[in-house]
Amino acid sequence: MASALLVTLVAAVAMLSRGVEAQCPAPADLHPTNGTRLCALLYADNSPYYDQCCAGDVLEVLPGSDVPYMPRGWSGRASSLVVGTKCELTVWSRRAKAGKSRSFSAGAVPRLQEVRRGFFGDWNDAIRGYYCTCK
């Protein structure tokens, strides 16, 4: 019994030492610090635990963004995403809008590894270009 208590205590300390856990924002909450509207947010990290997804570095996508080549350091890096209300994000698996494509409507996708891309792949770390529109 003492060893089970010790294991539980160690796990609790490890969770507290990690800091604040992330959670995907609601689509209606996509506003940067200056208050303008965002089309989508792409996140570099995800987790096996949904309440810890949408973490790490964030790429803010403005409405009307047409980006055939990802910004420096973002090619093949997105692991979670949130698309704003009344918006649609279309992504491509290869640069210059080539390869497989997929459209995401308003909502959160905490784990892109659960979104299939063909028979053997998924969309985790696969986005190489995007186009985002809002109504």
Side-chain angles (χ1 to χ4, degrees):
M1 176 148 166
S3 63
L5 182 60
L6 180 61
V7 169
T8 303
L9 182 61
V10 168
V13 169
M15 286 178 60
L16 291 174
S17 67
R18 281 196 321 224
V20 177
E21 295 175 351
Q23 185 171 0
C24 297
D29 295 337
L30 296 190
H31 299 284
T33 54
N34 67 6
T36 61
R37 182 179 188 187
L38 286 176
C39 188
L41 293 174
L42 302 177
Y43 293 90
D45 298 334
N46 68 10
S47 168
Y49 305 103
Y50 287 99
D51 63 344
Q52 297 174 20
C53 291
C54 296
D57 292 335
V58 180
L59 177 63
E60 295 181 343
V61 178
L62 298 174
S65 294
D66 188 1
V67 182
Y69 301 93
M70 294 295 281
R72 185 175 183 93
W74 274 97
S75 184
R77 191 166 173 219
S79 295
S80 303
L81 62 85
V82 179
V83 179
T85 305
K86 297 183 181 179
C87 296
E88 181 177 73
L89 175 69
T90 302
V91 298
W92 285 268
S93 64
R94 295 186 181 217
R95 60 191 184 114
K97 297 184 187 176
K100 303 263 186 206
S101 67
R102 164 92 186 200
S103 291
F104 296 93
S105 57
V109 181
R111 300 182 69 209
L112 283 169
Q113 65 198 40
E114 294 177 352
V115 180
R116 302 302 310 151
R117 180 177 50 99
F119 287 116
F120 302 108
D122 59 51
W123 281 97
N124 187 50
D125 296 335
I127 297 174
R128 304 286 196 275
Y130 63 83
Y131 176 66
C132 205
T133 60
C134 297
K135 296 176 184 169

